[in-house]
Amino acid sequence: MITITGNDNGPKWETESLFGRKEELQLLNNLAEEQSSACVLIHGGEGTGKTTLMHSVPWKQHNWLFVSRKFEEQLSAEPYSALIATLVELMDIWEGKDLGVIKSLFNVLNDDFDILFNIVPAIFKIVDIYSIDPRFSALKQVEDLNCKRLSKTSNKEKMGGDPGAVAAAFLRLFSLLSTSSPIVLFLEDMQFADPVSMDVLEVIGRSVAITENDGRFILALSYDDDKLAEKDFALKAVKSIHSLNSVHSLHLQDLDVEAINNLVALLLRAETSETLGLAGVIHKKTAGNPFFATQFLRYARGKKFFTFSPIMFKWEWGDVDELDQYSSVSDNVADILASSMDRLCANTQVALKVSSCLGKVIPLDVLVEYFRLFQEEGKRHITFSVTDFPKEQEWVKLLEGAVKAGILVKSMTRGAYMWSNDRLQHTVYSLTPPQLRCELHKDLGNLLWKLGEERKEEWMVFMAANQM
C-alpha cells in the first residue's frame, strides 16, 4: 500500500494495489485458500516490497492467524529473539480458548518443559491462569523472578540444547496451536538471525515443506540476498531449505518501466500514455526499486513538481527534463528524508529520533513514559529545546503526522508503530548526533528494564538488554 500526502491542496495519493507482483501474489493467495502447510522463502534486495507482499494477502479473510516478527540487527546475538516474540503473542491469543484445548496444550508443554522453559518461560504463564496441572505449580512462585532470571540466563542455556530437539518442540507447539486456527508465521530479515535460530528454522522449514499436505501451518521467511550472503551459516541454512522442490521461492526484483508507469498513472489519475515519460525518468533515478520510487514521488511532490488544479480537477506536472535534474534517490535518501522531517512539527521530529533507538517496532506506551519522566523531573530533553512536552493523548496525533509523511506505519500490534522501511530508521538514527545516541540508549535501557520488571514483560527486558 502506498500513501503520499503533501503540503498542498491536492488529494492524497493512495493505493492498495501491488505493482509488478501479480504472480507472487497469486501464489500466496492460493496458499491462503488451500489452507494447507507450506514453507515460503521471499527474498530480494532492500526496498523490493517483501513485507508489503505478505501483508497484501487477505489472510484474515481466509481465517488464518497471521503473526509477524523481524530479526533485528541489534538482537543478532540473542538466541531465538523473533521466535520467542511470536510464541508469546500466540500464547496471549490462546488465553481465551476452551478448557479442552488448553489441556492438550498442557500435555505438549509438559513433554517439552525442559527445552521450552529455558528458551521462552513466558509461554508458561497460561498455566497460572487455568491451574490444572500440579507439575507447573512451582512456576507461580518464581513468576516475580522471571525478568531477573532471564537476565542471568546464559545464551547457552537459552539455546535449549540440540537444534533438532528444539525444532521438534517448536513444531509440536505450532502444530497444536494450528488445530484451532491455521497459522501464518512470517519471520523477516533472516540475514540478522542468530546461528541457533537459523539451525532451528532450517529443521522447521524442511519439515513443513516435506509435510505440506499435513496440517495448517505456513512458515514464511524473508531475507535480503546480499546481506544473507555475508553470513555462511545463514546462507547454508537457506540453501538447505531451498533445495526441496516443495519449497516456494519468491524472488522479488526491481520493477520495470511498465510497472512504474502503471503506478504513476494511477496516482496521477492519468492515462499511461501521458505518464510514460515521467515513468522513464523515475525508473532511471530509482533503478525501479519500489521503496526508492515511492520516496522519489514524495520528494517531487514536495518540490511542487506535481500540482493539483482545483479548476480542472486534475493533476498537472512540470517538464520531464526538470524532473531529470533531481538527484538519484538511492544516493540521497538522507537528504530526502531530512526534507520530509523538516515539514513535521518539532515534537514529532524528536519522537522519531528517540524511536530510531528503540528498533523496528515503537511501543507507544514506552515512548509516552519516556517523555513523561522527563516532564516530571522538570528536565529539558537532550535532543531539542522545547520543554512543553505533549500530553499522553497528544502523542498519537504527533505520530500520525509521521504516518502521513510515509515514515511510520501502524503496527498490527495494538498501541505500536513501525518504520515503513528499515532504511528510514537507519537514516533518522544517523541524523541524531553520536554523543546524544549514547545518552538515549542509556535512558531507554533503564526505562525498559524498570517497566519489564514492573509489568512482567520479557520483551521489554530483551529490548533493555539491547540498549545497554
Side-chain angles (χ1 to χ4, degrees), residues 296-351:
F296 190 86
L297 285 165
R298 190 187 309 279
Y299 179 70
R301 179 169 175 172
K303 287 287 189 178
K304 309 297 183 184
F305 178 81
F306 298 104
T307 56
F308 186 76
S309 171
I311 297 175
M312 303 299 294
F313 203 69
K314 70 174 187 177
W315 284 98
E316 299 173 342
W317 51 88
D319 190 88
V320 171
D321 291 336
E322 179 187 345
L323 187 67
D324 198 25
Q325 298 303 309
Y326 292 165
S327 300
S328 298
V329 69
S330 57
D331 298 328
N332 294 274
V333 173
D335 293 339
I336 291 175
L337 181 58
S339 175
S340 299
M341 286 186 63
D342 285 342
R343 294 193 290 270
L344 300 173
C345 72
N347 286 339
T348 301
Q349 293 183 41
V350 175

Short mmCIF file of all heavy atoms in Angstrom, two decimals, residues 296-351:
data_model
loop_
_atom_site.label_atom_id
_atom_site.label_comp_id
_atom_site.label_asym_id
_atom_site.label_seq_id
_atom_site.Cartn_x
_atom_site.Cartn_y
_atom_site.Cartn_z
N PHE A 296 10.92 8.99 -4.18
CA PHE A 296 11.16 9.97 -5.24
C PHE A 296 9.88 10.73 -5.57
O PHE A 296 9.90 11.96 -5.74
CB PHE A 296 11.71 9.27 -6.49
CG PHE A 296 12.21 10.22 -7.53
CD1 PHE A 296 13.51 10.69 -7.49
CD2 PHE A 296 11.39 10.64 -8.56
CE1 PHE A 296 13.98 11.57 -8.46
CE2 PHE A 296 11.84 11.52 -9.53
CZ PHE A 296 13.15 11.98 -9.48
N LEU A 297 8.77 10.02 -5.66
CA LEU A 297 7.49 10.67 -5.92
C LEU A 297 7.11 11.62 -4.78
O LEU A 297 6.61 12.73 -5.02
CB LEU A 297 6.40 9.61 -6.10
CG LEU A 297 6.40 8.85 -7.44
CD1 LEU A 297 5.54 7.60 -7.35
CD2 LEU A 297 5.91 9.77 -8.55
N ARG A 298 7.37 11.19 -3.55
CA ARG A 298 7.08 12.04 -2.39
C ARG A 298 7.94 13.31 -2.45
O ARG A 298 7.46 14.42 -2.20
CB ARG A 298 7.37 11.25 -1.11
CG ARG A 298 6.90 11.94 0.16
CD ARG A 298 7.38 11.18 1.40
NE ARG A 298 7.06 9.77 1.32
CZ ARG A 298 5.88 9.25 1.61
NH1 ARG A 298 4.89 10.03 1.98
NH2 ARG A 298 5.70 7.94 1.51
N TYR A 299 9.20 13.14 -2.81
CA TYR A 299 10.13 14.25 -2.89
C TYR A 299 9.71 15.23 -4.00
O TYR A 299 9.69 16.45 -3.81
CB TYR A 299 11.53 13.70 -3.17
CG TYR A 299 12.62 14.75 -3.30
CD1 TYR A 299 13.06 15.47 -2.20
CD2 TYR A 299 13.22 14.99 -4.54
CE1 TYR A 299 14.07 16.41 -2.32
CE2 TYR A 299 14.23 15.93 -4.67
CZ TYR A 299 14.66 16.63 -3.56
OH TYR A 299 15.65 17.57 -3.69
N ALA A 300 9.35 14.70 -5.18
CA ALA A 300 8.96 15.54 -6.30
C ALA A 300 7.67 16.31 -5.99
O ALA A 300 7.54 17.49 -6.38
CB ALA A 300 8.77 14.69 -7.55
N ARG A 301 6.75 15.67 -5.28
CA ARG A 301 5.53 16.37 -4.91
C ARG A 301 5.84 17.49 -3.91
O ARG A 301 5.29 18.59 -4.00
CB ARG A 301 4.50 15.41 -4.33
CG ARG A 301 3.21 16.09 -3.89
CD ARG A 301 2.11 15.11 -3.56
NE ARG A 301 0.94 15.80 -3.04
CZ ARG A 301 -0.23 15.24 -2.80
NH1 ARG A 301 -0.39 13.94 -3.05
NH2 ARG A 301 -1.25 15.93 -2.33
N GLY A 302 6.74 17.21 -2.98
CA GLY A 302 7.14 18.23 -2.02
C GLY A 302 7.83 19.41 -2.68
O GLY A 302 7.75 20.55 -2.20
N LYS A 303 8.48 19.16 -3.81
CA LYS A 303 9.16 20.22 -4.57
C LYS A 303 8.21 20.95 -5.51
O LYS A 303 8.64 21.81 -6.28
CB LYS A 303 10.30 19.61 -5.39
CG LYS A 303 11.51 19.18 -4.58
CD LYS A 303 12.29 20.39 -4.12
CE LYS A 303 13.62 19.99 -3.49
NZ LYS A 303 14.41 21.17 -3.08
N LYS A 304 6.92 20.62 -5.45
CA LYS A 304 5.88 21.24 -6.28
C LYS A 304 6.02 20.90 -7.76
O LYS A 304 5.50 21.63 -8.62
CB LYS A 304 5.87 22.77 -6.10
CG LYS A 304 5.84 23.25 -4.68
CD LYS A 304 4.58 22.82 -3.96
CE LYS A 304 4.54 23.38 -2.54
NZ LYS A 304 3.36 22.90 -1.77
N PHE A 305 6.71 19.79 -8.07
CA PHE A 305 6.76 19.38 -9.47
C PHE A 305 5.37 18.92 -9.92
O PHE A 305 4.95 19.15 -11.05
CB PHE A 305 7.77 18.24 -9.66
CG PHE A 305 7.86 17.74 -11.07
CD1 PHE A 305 8.60 18.42 -12.03
CD2 PHE A 305 7.17 16.59 -11.46
CE1 PHE A 305 8.65 17.96 -13.35
CE2 PHE A 305 7.21 16.13 -12.76
CZ PHE A 305 7.95 16.82 -13.72
N PHE A 306 4.66 18.25 -9.00
CA PHE A 306 3.29 17.84 -9.25
C PHE A 306 2.36 18.81 -8.51
O PHE A 306 2.55 19.07 -7.31
CB PHE A 306 3.03 16.42 -8.74
CG PHE A 306 3.85 15.36 -9.43
CD1 PHE A 306 4.94 14.79 -8.79
CD2 PHE A 306 3.53 14.94 -10.71
CE1 PHE A 306 5.69 13.82 -9.41
CE2 PHE A 306 4.29 13.96 -11.34
CZ PHE A 306 5.37 13.40 -10.69
N THR A 307 1.38 19.35 -9.19
CA THR A 307 0.41 20.26 -8.56
C THR A 307 -0.99 19.85 -8.99
O THR A 307 -1.20 19.33 -10.10
CB THR A 307 0.65 21.72 -8.96
OG1 THR A 307 0.62 21.83 -10.38
CG2 THR A 307 1.99 22.21 -8.42
N PHE A 308 -1.93 20.10 -8.11
CA PHE A 308 -3.32 19.73 -8.40
C PHE A 308 -4.11 20.99 -8.74
O PHE A 308 -4.11 21.96 -7.99
CB PHE A 308 -3.94 19.02 -7.21
CG PHE A 308 -5.31 18.48 -7.48
CD1 PHE A 308 -5.49 17.32 -8.23
CD2 PHE A 308 -6.44 19.14 -7.01
CE1 PHE A 308 -6.75 16.82 -8.49
CE2 PHE A 308 -7.70 18.65 -7.27
CZ PHE A 308 -7.86 17.48 -8.02
N SER A 309 -4.78 20.95 -9.89
CA SER A 309 -5.60 22.09 -10.34
C SER A 309 -7.04 21.90 -9.86
O SER A 309 -7.74 21.00 -10.33
CB SER A 309 -5.59 22.19 -11.87
OG SER A 309 -6.54 23.15 -12.29
N PRO A 310 -7.50 22.77 -8.92
CA PRO A 310 -8.88 22.65 -8.44
C PRO A 310 -9.90 23.06 -9.49
O PRO A 310 -11.08 22.71 -9.40
CB PRO A 310 -8.91 23.60 -7.23
CG PRO A 310 -7.82 24.59 -7.51
CD PRO A 310 -6.76 23.86 -8.25
N ILE A 311 -9.43 23.79 -10.50
CA ILE A 311 -10.34 24.22 -11.56
C ILE A 311 -10.56 23.09 -12.55
O ILE A 311 -11.70 22.73 -12.89
CB ILE A 311 -9.78 25.47 -12.28
CG1 ILE A 311 -9.68 26.64 -11.30
CG2 ILE A 311 -10.68 25.84 -13.46
CD1 ILE A 311 -9.03 27.86 -11.89
N MET A 312 -9.44 22.50 -13.01
CA MET A 312 -9.53 21.39 -13.96
C MET A 312 -9.78 20.05 -13.26
O MET A 312 -10.12 19.06 -13.89
CB MET A 312 -8.24 21.31 -14.77
CG MET A 312 -7.89 22.58 -15.52
SD MET A 312 -9.17 23.02 -16.72
CE MET A 312 -9.03 21.65 -17.88
N PHE A 313 -9.60 20.06 -11.94
CA PHE A 313 -9.78 18.87 -11.11
C PHE A 313 -8.91 17.73 -11.62
O PHE A 313 -9.37 16.60 -11.83
CB PHE A 313 -11.25 18.44 -11.04
CG PHE A 313 -11.56 17.61 -9.83
CD1 PHE A 313 -11.54 18.18 -8.56
CD2 PHE A 313 -11.86 16.26 -9.93
CE1 PHE A 313 -11.81 17.43 -7.43
CE2 PHE A 313 -12.13 15.49 -8.80
CZ PHE A 313 -12.11 16.08 -7.55
N LYS A 314 -7.65 18.03 -11.83
CA LYS A 314 -6.71 17.01 -12.26
C LYS A 314 -5.29 17.41 -11.88
O LYS A 314 -5.02 18.56 -11.56
CB LYS A 314 -6.80 16.78 -13.76
CG LYS A 314 -6.27 17.93 -14.60
CD LYS A 314 -6.25 17.55 -16.07
CE LYS A 314 -5.57 18.63 -16.92
NZ LYS A 314 -5.49 18.24 -18.34
N TRP A 315 -4.40 16.42 -11.92
CA TRP A 315 -3.01 16.67 -11.60
C TRP A 315 -2.28 17.21 -12.83
O TRP A 315 -2.53 16.79 -13.96
CB TRP A 315 -2.33 15.38 -11.13
CG TRP A 315 -2.68 15.01 -9.73
CD1 TRP A 315 -3.62 14.11 -9.33
CD2 TRP A 315 -2.11 15.55 -8.55
NE1 TRP A 315 -3.68 14.05 -7.96
CE2 TRP A 315 -2.75 14.93 -7.45
CE3 TRP A 315 -1.13 16.50 -8.29
CZ2 TRP A 315 -2.45 15.22 -6.12
CZ3 TRP A 315 -0.81 16.79 -6.97
CH2 TRP A 315 -1.47 16.16 -5.91
N GLU A 316 -1.36 18.15 -12.56
CA GLU A 316 -0.51 18.70 -13.60
C GLU A 316 0.93 18.58 -13.15
O GLU A 316 1.21 18.48 -11.95
CB GLU A 316 -0.88 20.18 -13.87
CG GLU A 316 -2.32 20.36 -14.34
CD GLU A 316 -2.72 21.83 -14.45
OE1 GLU A 316 -2.01 22.67 -13.83
OE2 GLU A 316 -3.72 22.13 -15.13
N TRP A 317 1.84 18.59 -14.08
CA TRP A 317 3.26 18.44 -13.71
C TRP A 317 4.15 19.21 -14.67
O TRP A 317 3.74 19.61 -15.76
CB TRP A 317 3.66 16.97 -13.68
CG TRP A 317 3.31 16.17 -14.90
CD1 TRP A 317 4.05 16.01 -16.03
CD2 TRP A 317 2.10 15.43 -15.11
NE1 TRP A 317 3.40 15.22 -16.94
CE2 TRP A 317 2.20 14.84 -16.40
CE3 TRP A 317 0.96 15.19 -14.35
CZ2 TRP A 317 1.19 14.04 -16.93
CZ3 TRP A 317 -0.04 14.40 -14.89
CH2 TRP A 317 0.08 13.83 -16.16
N GLY A 318 5.37 19.41 -14.23
CA GLY A 318 6.33 20.18 -15.00
C GLY A 318 6.95 19.39 -16.14
O GLY A 318 6.53 18.27 -16.46
N ASP A 319 7.99 19.97 -16.71
CA ASP A 319 8.69 19.34 -17.83
C ASP A 319 9.50 18.15 -17.34
O ASP A 319 10.11 18.20 -16.26
CB ASP A 319 9.59 20.36 -18.52
CG ASP A 319 10.15 19.84 -19.82
OD1 ASP A 319 9.51 20.00 -20.87
OD2 ASP A 319 11.26 19.25 -19.77
N VAL A 320 9.53 17.09 -18.14
CA VAL A 320 10.27 15.88 -17.77
C VAL A 320 11.75 16.18 -17.56
O VAL A 320 12.40 15.59 -16.68
CB VAL A 320 10.08 14.80 -18.85
CG1 VAL A 320 11.01 13.61 -18.59
CG2 VAL A 320 8.64 14.32 -18.89
N ASP A 321 12.30 17.11 -18.33
CA ASP A 321 13.71 17.47 -18.19
C ASP A 321 14.00 18.06 -16.81
O ASP A 321 15.08 17.86 -16.25
CB ASP A 321 14.13 18.47 -19.27
CG ASP A 321 14.14 17.84 -20.66
OD1 ASP A 321 14.28 16.60 -20.72
OD2 ASP A 321 14.01 18.57 -21.66
N GLU A 322 13.01 18.77 -16.26
CA GLU A 322 13.17 19.32 -14.90
C GLU A 322 13.25 18.19 -13.88
O GLU A 322 14.07 18.23 -12.95
CB GLU A 322 12.00 20.24 -14.58
CG GLU A 322 12.06 20.85 -13.17
CD GLU A 322 10.80 21.61 -12.81
OE1 GLU A 322 10.00 21.92 -13.72
OE2 GLU A 322 10.62 21.90 -11.60
N LEU A 323 12.39 17.19 -14.04
CA LEU A 323 12.40 16.04 -13.14
C LEU A 323 13.72 15.30 -13.23
O LEU A 323 14.23 14.78 -12.23
CB LEU A 323 11.24 15.10 -13.49
CG LEU A 323 10.99 13.92 -12.54
CD1 LEU A 323 10.52 14.42 -11.19
CD2 LEU A 323 9.95 12.97 -13.14
N ASP A 324 14.29 15.28 -14.41
CA ASP A 324 15.55 14.58 -14.63
C ASP A 324 16.71 15.24 -13.90
O ASP A 324 17.76 14.61 -13.70
CB ASP A 324 15.83 14.50 -16.14
CG ASP A 324 16.87 13.44 -16.47
OD1 ASP A 324 17.00 12.49 -15.68
OD2 ASP A 324 17.54 13.57 -17.51
N GLN A 325 16.52 16.49 -13.51
CA GLN A 325 17.59 17.20 -12.81
C GLN A 325 17.68 16.82 -11.33
O GLN A 325 18.68 17.08 -10.68
CB GLN A 325 17.37 18.73 -12.92
CG GLN A 325 17.41 19.26 -14.34
CD GLN A 325 18.69 18.91 -15.06
OE1 GLN A 325 19.79 19.15 -14.53
NE2 GLN A 325 18.57 18.34 -16.25
N TYR A 326 16.62 16.20 -10.81
CA TYR A 326 16.64 15.78 -9.42
C TYR A 326 17.66 14.65 -9.23
O TYR A 326 17.87 13.83 -10.12
CB TYR A 326 15.27 15.28 -8.96
CG TYR A 326 14.20 16.34 -8.90
CD1 TYR A 326 12.86 15.99 -8.82
CD2 TYR A 326 14.53 17.70 -8.92
CE1 TYR A 326 11.87 16.95 -8.75
CE2 TYR A 326 13.55 18.67 -8.85
CZ TYR A 326 12.21 18.30 -8.78
OH TYR A 326 11.24 19.27 -8.72
N SER A 327 18.28 14.63 -8.09
CA SER A 327 19.30 13.61 -7.81
C SER A 327 18.67 12.23 -7.74
O SER A 327 17.47 12.07 -7.47
CB SER A 327 20.01 13.91 -6.48
OG SER A 327 20.65 15.17 -6.53
N SER A 328 19.48 11.22 -7.96
CA SER A 328 19.01 9.84 -7.83
C SER A 328 18.69 9.57 -6.37
O SER A 328 19.53 9.78 -5.49
CB SER A 328 20.09 8.86 -8.32
OG SER A 328 20.35 9.08 -9.69
N VAL A 329 17.49 9.10 -6.11
CA VAL A 329 17.04 8.95 -4.74
C VAL A 329 17.86 7.91 -3.98
O VAL A 329 18.07 8.02 -2.76
CB VAL A 329 15.54 8.60 -4.70
CG1 VAL A 329 15.28 7.21 -5.23
CG2 VAL A 329 14.99 8.73 -3.29
N SER A 330 18.35 6.88 -4.66
CA SER A 330 19.10 5.83 -3.97
C SER A 330 20.38 6.38 -3.34
O SER A 330 20.91 5.81 -2.39
CB SER A 330 19.45 4.70 -4.93
OG SER A 330 20.18 5.19 -6.03
N ASP A 331 20.87 7.49 -3.86
CA ASP A 331 22.09 8.10 -3.32
C ASP A 331 21.79 9.19 -2.31
O ASP A 331 22.70 9.69 -1.65
CB ASP A 331 22.94 8.70 -4.46
CG ASP A 331 23.39 7.64 -5.45
OD1 ASP A 331 23.61 6.50 -5.02
OD2 ASP A 331 23.50 7.96 -6.64
N ASN A 332 20.53 9.60 -2.19
CA ASN A 332 20.21 10.76 -1.37
C ASN A 332 18.99 10.54 -0.49
O ASN A 332 18.19 11.45 -0.29
CB ASN A 332 19.97 11.98 -2.27
CG ASN A 332 21.22 12.41 -3.00
OD1 ASN A 332 22.03 13.17 -2.48
ND2 ASN A 332 21.39 11.91 -4.22
N VAL A 333 18.82 9.32 0.02
CA VAL A 333 17.69 9.04 0.90
C VAL A 333 17.73 9.94 2.12
O VAL A 333 16.71 10.46 2.57
CB VAL A 333 17.69 7.56 1.34
CG1 VAL A 333 16.61 7.32 2.38
CG2 VAL A 333 17.46 6.66 0.14
N ALA A 334 18.93 10.17 2.68
CA ALA A 334 19.05 11.01 3.87
C ALA A 334 18.58 12.43 3.60
O ALA A 334 17.86 13.03 4.42
CB ALA A 334 20.50 11.01 4.35
N ASP A 335 18.95 12.99 2.45
CA ASP A 335 18.55 14.35 2.12
C ASP A 335 17.04 14.44 1.94
O ASP A 335 16.40 15.40 2.39
CB ASP A 335 19.24 14.82 0.84
CG ASP A 335 20.74 14.98 1.03
OD1 ASP A 335 21.18 15.12 2.20
OD2 ASP A 335 21.47 14.97 0.02
N ILE A 336 16.47 13.45 1.27
CA ILE A 336 15.03 13.46 1.03
C ILE A 336 14.26 13.30 2.34
O ILE A 336 13.27 13.98 2.58
CB ILE A 336 14.65 12.35 0.03
CG1 ILE A 336 15.20 12.70 -1.36
CG2 ILE A 336 13.15 12.14 -0.03
CD1 ILE A 336 14.99 11.63 -2.39
N LEU A 337 14.74 12.41 3.19
CA LEU A 337 14.07 12.21 4.48
C LEU A 337 14.20 13.45 5.35
O LEU A 337 13.25 13.85 6.02
CB LEU A 337 14.66 11.00 5.21
CG LEU A 337 14.03 10.67 6.56
CD1 LEU A 337 12.53 10.43 6.41
CD2 LEU A 337 14.69 9.47 7.19
N ALA A 338 15.37 14.07 5.33
CA ALA A 338 15.57 15.29 6.11
C ALA A 338 14.59 16.37 5.65
O ALA A 338 14.03 17.11 6.47
CB ALA A 338 17.01 15.78 5.97
N SER A 339 14.37 16.43 4.35
CA SER A 339 13.42 17.40 3.81
C SER A 339 12.00 17.09 4.29
O SER A 339 11.24 18.00 4.64
CB SER A 339 13.47 17.37 2.27
OG SER A 339 12.49 18.21 1.72
N SER A 340 11.65 15.80 4.33
CA SER A 340 10.32 15.40 4.81
C SER A 340 10.15 15.71 6.29
O SER A 340 9.10 16.17 6.73
CB SER A 340 10.09 13.90 4.56
OG SER A 340 10.15 13.59 3.20
N MET A 341 11.21 15.47 7.07
CA MET A 341 11.13 15.72 8.51
C MET A 341 11.04 17.20 8.84
O MET A 341 10.42 17.59 9.83
CB MET A 341 12.34 15.10 9.22
CG MET A 341 12.26 13.59 9.31
SD MET A 341 13.59 12.86 10.29
CE MET A 341 13.28 13.57 11.91
N ASP A 342 11.64 18.03 8.01
CA ASP A 342 11.59 19.48 8.25
C ASP A 342 10.17 20.00 8.22
O ASP A 342 9.87 21.04 8.82
CB ASP A 342 12.43 20.22 7.20
CG ASP A 342 13.92 20.09 7.46
OD1 ASP A 342 14.29 19.73 8.60
OD2 ASP A 342 14.72 20.33 6.54
N ARG A 343 9.28 19.29 7.53
CA ARG A 343 7.89 19.73 7.43
C ARG A 343 7.05 19.24 8.62
O ARG A 343 5.89 19.59 8.75
CB ARG A 343 7.27 19.24 6.11
CG ARG A 343 7.90 19.88 4.89
CD ARG A 343 7.08 19.62 3.64
NE ARG A 343 7.13 18.23 3.21
CZ ARG A 343 8.03 17.74 2.37
NH1 ARG A 343 8.97 18.55 1.87
NH2 ARG A 343 8.02 16.47 2.02
N LEU A 344 7.65 18.40 9.47
CA LEU A 344 6.95 17.92 10.66
C LEU A 344 7.21 18.86 11.82
O LEU A 344 8.22 19.56 11.87
CB LEU A 344 7.44 16.50 11.01
CG LEU A 344 7.22 15.42 9.96
CD1 LEU A 344 7.89 14.13 10.39
CD2 LEU A 344 5.73 15.18 9.70
N CYS A 345 6.31 18.85 12.81
CA CYS A 345 6.50 19.71 13.97
C CYS A 345 7.69 19.22 14.80
O CYS A 345 8.11 18.07 14.69
CB CYS A 345 5.23 19.77 14.82
SG CYS A 345 4.88 18.25 15.73
N ALA A 346 8.22 20.11 15.64
CA ALA A 346 9.43 19.81 16.41
C ALA A 346 9.27 18.58 17.29
O ALA A 346 10.17 17.74 17.38
CB ALA A 346 9.82 21.02 17.26
N ASN A 347 8.11 18.44 17.94
CA ASN A 347 7.90 17.31 18.84
C ASN A 347 7.90 15.98 18.10
O ASN A 347 8.40 14.96 18.59
CB ASN A 347 6.59 17.47 19.61
CG ASN A 347 6.69 18.52 20.70
OD1 ASN A 347 7.78 18.85 21.14
ND2 ASN A 347 5.56 19.07 21.10
N THR A 348 7.31 15.96 16.90
CA THR A 348 7.30 14.74 16.10
C THR A 348 8.71 14.37 15.67
O THR A 348 9.10 13.20 15.69
CB THR A 348 6.40 14.90 14.86
OG1 THR A 348 5.08 15.22 15.27
CG2 THR A 348 6.37 13.62 14.04
N GLN A 349 9.51 15.36 15.29
CA GLN A 349 10.89 15.10 14.89
C GLN A 349 11.68 14.48 16.03
O GLN A 349 12.45 13.53 15.83
CB GLN A 349 11.56 16.41 14.46
CG GLN A 349 10.99 17.00 13.18
CD GLN A 349 11.74 18.24 12.74
OE1 GLN A 349 12.96 18.31 12.82
NE2 GLN A 349 11.00 19.24 12.29
N VAL A 350 11.48 14.99 17.23
CA VAL A 350 12.19 14.45 18.38
C VAL A 350 11.72 13.04 18.70
O VAL A 350 12.52 12.14 19.00
CB VAL A 350 12.00 15.35 19.61
CG1 VAL A 350 12.65 14.74 20.84
CG2 VAL A 350 12.60 16.71 19.35
N ALA A 351 10.40 12.82 18.61
CA ALA A 351 9.85 11.48 18.87
C ALA A 351 10.45 10.46 17.89
O ALA A 351 10.75 9.33 18.27
CB ALA A 351 8.33 11.51 18.75
#
